[in-house]
Amino acid sequence: QDVLHSISYASDLKVIVERIGGTANSIASGNEGDRITLEGQLTDFDNTYARLGVGGNIAGLNVVPAQSELQPAYEKVGEAWIP
């Protein structure tokens, strides 16, 4: 069950990134009020990504850490995400 939660939250990262892109475009179009939304989306990504790396609990559901064979891919995401 915990593995399924991990897979689900890993999939959620893609959705979060798509939302971030949409919100960034909105801000670029002049909707400054969306900056607060963007901050929340960035926090959601950071928290979910971090928890998937070490395992633990997200919103009351247990997740397992990324398996060792997935660590290189996991780390590439982290490297790409850091400004």
Side-chain angles (χ1 to χ4, degrees), residues 53-82:
V54 297
N57 190 286
I58 301 175
L61 301 173
N62 290 325
V63 296
V64 296
Q67 298 173 353
S68 59
E69 60 266 17
L70 296 176
Q71 280 298 322
Y74 176 83
E75 290 170 7
K76 279 187 178 182
V77 170
E79 291 167 4
W81 187 248
I82 297 171

Side-chain angles (χ1 to χ4, degrees), residues 16-74:
I16 294 169
V17 168
E18 290 170 353
R19 287 182 185 149
I20 289 170
T23 304
N25 284 334
S26 177
I27 294 167
S29 296
N31 297 316
E32 288 296 318
D34 282 344
R35 288 192 183 274
I36 294 170
T37 300
L38 180 63
E39 289 175 19
Q41 292 166 334
L42 293 170
T43 298
D44 286 347
F45 181 94
D46 289 341
N47 291 339
T48 302
Y49 175 79
R51 186 58 53 209
L52 288 171
V54 297
N57 190 286
I58 301 175
L61 301 173
N62 290 325
V63 296
V64 296
Q67 298 173 353
S68 59
E69 60 266 17
L70 296 176
Q71 280 298 322
Y74 176 83

